[in-house]
């Protein structure tokens, strides 16, 4: 039995944003020793090449220097040697995202995939990690879900993990953060807030407690024995990454409630709670049970699966729905948020070019690498996936008169696959769902996942007591929501952003008036009908024209002035509105987790 691989990480050189890392192990084999850094982070489907941030790699064997060379973009190999090996290197850490590593004089953060080299062939062995305190860090503490192997709670010292894959699934926050602890169903939960902030942390913890309880109840148990929300609060940022017993979140400090803030939750705060709910739900859906394509993760290359719609789309479906079921969001506001999702999908032509399965498979080169044409070419397996999950859930509920729902499918997947060595095969997800439903769901999945059709929600929603309308946008900023009437409006078929020189076309939609006129994404419109225009005055200027009329557009493409003719067109009915129908709808109340008058 070989001794464990031991990692040491020190934040001493924080002004240079460098973590000093070493790997120590006993090497007795005949084969040369190879170490590598993953090329991607599980949960974020893009090859990111973490090895590009590694400098100054040196190796010793039994205290004597030994040669170590790069053999490809992310692997290093030692010259033949046997004995006690130590490899040292530094990692540049100035990535504020939740996927990499950060270090300055105020805080540190790392994901193992960015800092700890794996030892090829020994990935299944347990590892130890010494997180070292440096001078001048007396008020710094350590927050991580990584099991302690001697370190005191929240302290520097020795931690460990059962395998390399486990090691890189425990992000670590370092610094003088705010820490709160709360219990859910007997399990310790930790809320860690870093960054400059004045937040009512107790209120955030109380809301998270309700959301977490709803999720544990849904699955009938949790796959972890403790859980950590690691939140980095900044002026402008958004992101989250799921892990087995924690999540790293990046959010705007102003989105969280200030001490003494109004009782009502703001839309921005609900977005934060939705993000936290999303990542927490992933502890089951993609962590406890996951695609066979990720079992185990191949950390050297892309891992292809057509199932991302199920792992991201269904998680996106439940994130807000569970806010309703836990009582932090009311049904009317939930429908408002759902109408934004419907509107976002309908505005782009991506839904006519990619199916959900294709969008899942090509995430690595398409969704994660959007360009100016993304809204015409790409379907989001998050938003469209969440709507497909809604369609599936409603189909299950309606067919069984409320006896079977998507909750049952999720529980079945958790029961069958959690803790097993086996991932879910590409066809298997649908087979489990069909078995739970007690009928063949293949025709439904063909429609939801493999065809470019619109989803059947326009038929389904009224049957459970929800009215759906499709209407014109009332303004440039109209994201969706029910409106009894909307004034007719012209629309050029582009996403507009304010620009110092005029109005920037962030996206130009296929078959819209802007495209027909010859405008392209990136163009800056400076005048409409011979008058200077800015974003705030855009609609007011167009109000004086009628469909079919033409007007002159002046715009810059790079430094070249264009003079084009734009034909006015009515806005398309691409904005969704949803509202609750009056009366008692037991299927609806059951779905939303609300008390039904019929049941009462
Ligand atoms: Zn997700």
């Amino acid at each position: 039995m070989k001794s464990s691989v031991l990692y040491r990480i020190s934040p001493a050189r924080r002004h240079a944003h460098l973590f000093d890392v070493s790997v120590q192990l006993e090497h007795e084999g005949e084969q040369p020793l190879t170490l590598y850094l993953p090329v991607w982070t599980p949960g974020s489907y893009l090859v990111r090449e973490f090895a590009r941030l590694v400098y100054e790699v040196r190796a010793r064997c039994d205290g004597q220097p030994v040669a170590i060379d790069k053999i490809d973009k992310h692997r290093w190999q030692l010259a033949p040697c046997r004995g006690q090996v130590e490899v040292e290197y530094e990692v540049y850490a100035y990535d504020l995202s939740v996927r990499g590593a950060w270090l300055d004089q105020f805080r540190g953060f790392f994901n193992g995939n960015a800092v700890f080299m794996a030892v090829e062939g020994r990935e299944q062995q347990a590892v130890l990690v010494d997180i070292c305190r440096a001078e001048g860090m007396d008020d710094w503490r350590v927050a991580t879900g990584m099991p302690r192997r001697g370190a005191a709670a929240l302290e520097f010292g020795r931690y460990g993990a059962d395998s390399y894959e486990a090691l890189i699934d425990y992000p670590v926050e370092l610094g003088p953060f705010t820490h709160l602890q709360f219990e859910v169903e007997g399990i310790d939960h930790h809320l860690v807030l870093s960054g400059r902030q004045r937040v009512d942390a107790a209120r955030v913890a109380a809301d998270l407690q309700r959301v977490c309880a709803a999720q544990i109840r849904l699955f009938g148990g949790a796959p972890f024995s403790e859980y950590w929300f690691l939140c980095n609060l900044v002026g402008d940022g958004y992101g989250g990454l799921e892990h087995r017993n924690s999540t790293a979140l990046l959010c705007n400090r102003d989105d969280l409630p200030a001490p003494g803030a109004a009782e009502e939750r703001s839309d921005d705060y609900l977005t934060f709670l939705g993000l936290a709910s999303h990542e927490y739900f992933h502890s089951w859906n993609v962590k406890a049970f996951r695609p066979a394509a990720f079992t185990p993760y191949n950390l050297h290359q892309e891992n292809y699966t057509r199932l991302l719609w199920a792992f991201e789309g269904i998680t996106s479906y439940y994130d807000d729905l569970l806010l309703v079921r836990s009582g932090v969001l009311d049904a009317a506001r939930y429908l408002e948020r759902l109408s934004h999702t419907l509107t976002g999908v309908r505005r782009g032509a991506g839904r006519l070019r990619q199916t959900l399965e294709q969008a899942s498979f090509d995430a690595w080169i398409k969704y994660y690498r959007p360009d100016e044409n993304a809204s015409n070419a790409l379907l989001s397996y998050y938003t469209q996936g969440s709507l497909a999950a809604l369609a599936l859930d409603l189909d299950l509920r309606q067919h069984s008169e409320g006896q079977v729902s998507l909750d049952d499918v999720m529980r079945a997947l958790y029961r069958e696959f959690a803790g097993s060595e086996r991932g879910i095969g590409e066809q298997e997800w649908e087979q489990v769902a069909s078995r739970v439903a007690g009928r063949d769901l293949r025709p439904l999945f063909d429609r939801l996942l493999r065809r470019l059709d619109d989803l059947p929600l326009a038929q389904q929603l009224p049957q459970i007591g929800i009215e759906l309308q499709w209407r014109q946008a009332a303004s440039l900023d109209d994201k969706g929501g029910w409106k009894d009437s909307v004034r007719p409006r012209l629309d050029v078929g582009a996403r507009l952003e304010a620009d110092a020189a005029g109005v920037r076309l962030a996206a130009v939609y296929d078959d819209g008036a802007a495209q027909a006129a010859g405008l392209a994404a990136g163009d800056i419109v400076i005048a409409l009908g011979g008058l200077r225009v800015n974003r705030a005055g855009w609609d007011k200027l167009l109000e004086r024209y009628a469909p079919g009329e033409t007007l002159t557009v002046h715009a810059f493409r790079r430094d070249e002035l264009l003079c084009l003719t734009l034909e006015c067109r009515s806005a398309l009915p691409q904005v969704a509105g949803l509202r609750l129908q009056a009366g008692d709808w037991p299927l609806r109340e059951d779905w939303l987790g609300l008390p039904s008058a019929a049941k009462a």
Side-chain angles (χ1 to χ4, degrees), residues 242 278-279 282 311-312 315 382:
E242 68 273 16
H278 180 100
E279 306 305 344
H282 270 315
F311 292 93
E312 288 302 346
T315 302
Y382 287 88

Side-chain angles (χ1 to χ4, degrees), residues 148-162:
R148 290 182 275 122
R149 303 274 192 257
L154 295 164
E155 278 306 325
F156 288 84
R158 181 159 290 187
Y159 291 77
D162 290 340

Side-chain angles (χ1 to χ4, degrees), residues 395-436:
D395 188 272
L396 293 170
R397 288 171 185 274
Q398 285 163 336
H399 257 89
S400 66
E401 290 174 350
Q403 297 306 302
V404 178
S405 73
L406 187 55
D407 300 359
D408 297 297
V409 179
M410 301 315 287
R411 278 190 286 270
L413 292 165
Y414 181 45
R415 265 198 316 273
E416 275 175 53
F417 292 93
S420 95
E421 295 290 299
R422 213 164 64 78
I424 302 169
E426 294 286 290
Q427 315 299 326
E428 214 167 357
W429 203 101
E430 292 173 35
Q431 290 161 5
V432 171
S434 291
R435 205 182 61 226
V436 171

